[in-house]
Amino acid sequence: MKLKPLNDRVLVKRLESEEKTAGGLYIPDTAKEKPSKGEVVAVGPGKIAENGSRVAMAVKKGDEVLFNKYAGTEIKLDGVDHLVMREEDILAIID
C-alpha cells in the first residue's frame, strides 16, 4: 500500500526500543514504553502560509527523528505500525 501525507504531515515508522537496560537487565514486553524515536518514511509537500506560498519541510525521507510521546495517529501498513503526525510534533532530527 502506498501512502502520501498531505500538507505538513509526516509518515514515521517507530524504531524498536532497547531490549535490555544499561545494567544488563532484560525488559519484558509488558514493561516497555513505546519508543519516541522513528524513521521518516514519507513527507508531505509542506504547509501553506497565510500569503498562499508553501513552506518547505525541515525533515526528509530517511531522517531519524525524536517525537512527542503521544504524537500522531497510529496506522498499520503492510503489517507494520506507523504514525502519521504533523511536522510540529517532531522535536529533533538525529544525526
Side-chain angles (χ1 to χ4, degrees):
M1 177 189 300
K2 288 284 214 175
L3 188 89
K4 175 137 175 87
L6 299 176
N7 297 326
D8 65 334
R9 290 192 171 70
V10 179
L11 180 66
V12 176
K13 182 174 96 173
R14 284 189 199 261
L15 296 177
E16 294 300 318
S17 59
E18 294 292 323
E19 293 289 321
K20 61 181 180 176
T21 65
L25 299 175
Y26 285 94
I27 303 170
D29 288 337
T30 56
K32 285 184 190 174
E33 290 187 18
K34 290 185 179 180
S36 59
K37 186 163 105 171
E39 179 184 354
V40 176
V41 176
V43 178
K47 191 175 193 174
I48 298 176
E50 289 181 18
N51 65 3
S53 65
R54 207 169 273 281
V55 178
M57 299 285 277
V59 295
K60 63 185 180 309
K61 183 178 177 181
D63 284 347
E64 274 191 31
V65 295
L66 292 176
F67 49 85
N68 289 327
K69 190 172 188 170
Y70 300 107
T73 302
E74 292 186 7
I75 60 169
K76 191 170 263 197
L77 294 173
D78 300 326
V80 180
D81 290 329
H82 289 76
L83 290 168
V84 176
M85 66 181 71
R86 291 189 175 274
E87 184 183 32
E88 64 193 27
D89 290 333
I90 295 175
L91 303 173
I93 299 172
I94 302 169
D95 286 333

